[in-house]
Amino acid sequence: MSGPSLMDSLFQRTLEDLIKGLRQQLIGEQAFISKALEEIRKEIKSTDLSTKSTALLKLCYLSNLHFHDMSFAAFHALEVLSSPRFSHKKIAYHAISLSFHDSTPVLLLITNHLRKDLTSTNEFEVSLSLQCLSRIANVDLARDLTPEVFTLLSSNKLYVRKRAVAVVLRVFEKYPDSVRVCFKRLVENLENYDPQILSAVVGVFSELACKDPRSYLPLAPEFYKILVDSKSNWISIKVLKIFAKLAPLEPRLANRVVEPICDLMRKTGAKSLLFECVRTVVTSFSEYESAVRLAVGKIREFLVDEDPNLKYLGLHALSIVASKHLWVVSENKEVVIKSLSDPDPNIKIESLRLVMAMVSEHNVAEISKVLVNYALKSDPLFCNEILGSILSTCSRNVYEIIVDFDWYVSLLGEMSRIPHCQMGEEIENQLIDIGLRVKDVRLELVRVARDLLIDPALLGNSFLHRVLSAAAWVSGEYVEFSRNPLELMEALLQPRTSLLPPSIMAIYIQSAFKVLVFCLHTCFVRGGSTAGVSASASYESFDDLSVENGAGSTVAHGQTCTSAPITNESIVNLLKLVELALSPLLGSHDVEVQERARNLLGFVDLIQLEALNSSGQEENDSERKGVEATKIIRLVHDAFSKELGPVSLSAQGKVPLPDGLTLNENLGDLETICSDIELPSSNTFSFGYPSEEKDVSSFSNLQIKEDSGQSNESTSLLAEHRKRHGLYYLPSGKSEVISNDYPPANDPALQGDNNDNASDFVKLTAESLVLKRKQNHSKPRPVVVKLDEADEKPVAVKHPESRDDSLSGAVRDILFGSEDILPTSSRSNLPNSNRKGKAKQHMITQVESKENVVDDGNSSSRRRKDHSHGKERRHRKKNAEERNETDRKEKESSSNHPRRHKSRQRAEEPLKVPPQTSVIPDFLL
């Protein structure tokens, strides 16, 4: 496509025309933008810089608002950048800042442009180049332009020096060795009296101190002076952030700084500075009681303020101080509790965190009761915030604050019935985890699970499917604690279970299998010697399978669980129920559901004949059971009776790797091993429907026909591998995540005003928040199974301090007087150390020569600069003796300018900092 003609350039649309046309377009926004982009692509190829810059400006607008790619204009932006007009440079730098990144092909071409503008006499051009460098600087740009940035750090134009100080942070980050050149000059700017420059320098050190505060301890006297003398709230806030990082590292420093901070809190009227003082005290000076009490008084002023922003800041400060001074929250508990009903969601969440910070083993029950009542009246979002906070707090450190697990299990069941509850996954995990860890709670756990399973209304709530999954698993795993196993079977096989996802339905079927085996074992195996088996009950229909609950439905902890009588007739009806409920599932499209249904029905067919024969015999002969059926029942019952326990997260890592076992990534050679195995054809087997699968013996006909006369190497290899390492051929488990496609079960009747009965909640919660003495509980805390080193709280591993962080290492080398140490990057690559040493030497010489460049831009400064470049070229050829001679000449020439000579001496002399063994002794004494 050729460039635009002269007429096109004359009638080119400006950015204002583009915006007006975009607002008034009639062809559609996307069509208009596509047409505009075509015009821009044509105009940007023009040789006229005005046309090109206008097209680039329009492209920047479309990129900002409509996210169109402008990488194709990278080279054209460089062309506009070469224009001598400031308006063109401004557009070009803006486009470069938006579109350039580390992988831009033409990034290296901008180096000379930046160097030229950084040495310009126009302070606005210098400002544009510095701003662009702060956005696009990479390692190469930072390294090549460090001398220019160093020179600008001492510029007599405050506007330029302020921006040069700010860009130093990016240069240090990309090229840490530049610290050795620029850091002293940066520290000198801490003594500048101009508030703009001082603000920029303190901001840079605030960011640097966040990464490695220990390296900046020697600068504490300078920061202290700024804190005491500064009249700017912004500078004081930044200095407070620095001292918040330095004070924990040096106790003597905290003792010196705490009083000026308290004076600031008493005198300042700025809320921003006051809050920063409060946060600094409660985070880094919490051991000073007088300062903490002063901060608490200021926090109370925030809490009672009508401005919701200040109230939120007060609650946030309370949450910070609560970890070390819990009494502060107790003194302000009324405000905290009332904030739970605040219309601002951020305030409600902060107050919820404070309430949970007060929870202990003495008041967990009362606080949980109050919060559950709040959850019933709250919107769905805050309701789940409350439930999530209760669950996370109670399960912390393996339920360390829970003494009465029967109460907590009941609370989990109650929480799952809240209409807005969406914490089904967490409740499921805790129900199963408690069942595995705490044996004494299993009786109550089965009761709670039974209450959840028999409620058919819960099956329609998709958020409770995970809870029902845990209830079904608990009912099957600990069925021996159930008072009425037959009722559990009815609940597990009820028709509405078809609403459940296949993964949950499979768990229901497996639990029904366990309950059925328990009932058969109780009736046929233990029935002959156990007097608890009665033949008086008769279950002849579906409804008769449920046993009436008597007055003794609540069984106290420690008592023997009395089960409902299980007779031969109830077993017969139970088997019919299983066949009736599971026969439709034989045609399920889910493999897991179909397989488990077939397993259970196959087991029923094996023992059904004996059960029918036993029911028709006389009472004297009823105890004689078939030997084969009894053996099968005992065998399956023994398989299910093995108790399961919690598994450590590191259990797999403790399994030793057997000798000779080679695990290839992604089992890449599995296809080669099994290449000669013929896969069964589609007509070899089929997933039959109930009408075709009435005989259990038909399972044996579903075998794959193999040619016994043929054997190959791959088949024998696979068989040998299975034989040797059969332990590692694990059955596949279905871990399908059920999506929440259904809307939450919101009950409009419960969506009332949050302020209703708020005073009652405040009163009840205030009583529960009072710290009480440790009470003597009526029963001891049950044993909670913990695993070795698995349930410990993860501890962050502190690696020994190394020189890997090259930026911090360079700062320490300068501040602690180790300037003779090589750059970190040079040490990391020893073979290239000579070359990098020369590069560093060249850069230092270049920096020293550029110190004599004056910002007024006269011709003598240019000649002096050219002369310095000539000395650089001679320096590459001369040895150390010639370099000393050059330094002597430079000192003589600089003697004609006393003021410049003085600043040069300050820059060259080392900082007067004591050695590392005594960081800031004079300041602290």
Side-chain angles (χ1 to χ4, degrees), residues 180 801-810 812-813 821-824 827:
R180 306 178 186 278
E801 189 173 0
S802 62
R803 296 297 301 274
D804 293 338
D805 188 354
S806 53
L807 175 59
S808 301
R812 284 194 294 268
D813 290 344
I821 301 177
L822 287 175
T824 308
R827 188 178 309 137

Side-chain angles (χ1 to χ4, degrees), residues 899-918:
R899 186 179 301 174
R900 196 181 308 143
H901 179 63
K902 241 180 229 185
S903 63
R904 169 96 182 273
Q905 281 184 339
R906 285 199 307 268
E908 289 183 347
E909 66 182 2
L911 290 179
K912 297 179 180 180
V913 178
Q916 187 173 2
T917 54
S918 180

Side-chain angles (χ1 to χ4, degrees), residues 634-675:
R634 184 181 290 110
L635 181 63
V636 178
H637 180 269
D638 293 341
F640 287 146
S641 61
K642 182 65 176 179
E643 183 177 346
L644 299 178
V647 180
S648 172
L649 295 176
S650 59
Q652 186 66 31
K654 297 179 181 179
V655 178
L657 187 66
D659 297 336
L661 177 63
T662 303
L663 299 177
N664 292 335
E665 186 176 0
N666 297 328
L667 295 178
D669 58 347
L670 185 60
E671 183 178 357
T672 304
I673 296 176
C674 304
S675 60

Side-chain angles (χ1 to χ4, degrees), residues 578-595:
V578 171
E579 287 186 335
L580 179 64
L582 298 185
S583 294
L585 299 180
L586 293 177
S588 174
H589 295 289
D590 188 83
V591 178
E592 192 76 13
V593 173
Q594 184 182 140
E595 180 181 1

Side-chain angles (χ1 to χ4, degrees), residues 25 139 176 282 299 457 480 491 630 712 805 827 861 886:
Q25 50 81 24
V139 178
V282 299
I299 291 174
E480 64 272 13
T630 304
N712 51 70
D805 188 354
R827 188 178 309 137
S861 66
T886 304

Side-chain angles (χ1 to χ4, degrees), residues 731-768:
S732 60
K734 191 174 183 65
S735 58
E736 180 182 357
V737 179
I738 306 302
S739 61
N740 295 331
D741 295 333
Y742 295 94
N746 298 332
D747 189 359
L750 294 177
Q751 296 180 357
D753 188 3
N754 290 334
N755 295 325
D756 293 345
N757 301 326
S759 58
D760 297 337
F761 286 148
V762 171
K763 182 179 179 181
L764 179 58
T765 310
E767 294 176 356
S768 65

Side-chain angles (χ1 to χ4, degrees), residues 405-419:
F405 278 90
D406 290 346
W407 162 81
Y408 185 59
V409 169
S410 301
L411 178 66
L412 292 178
E414 182 181 353
M415 290 169 59
S416 61
R417 294 177 179 273
I418 294 178

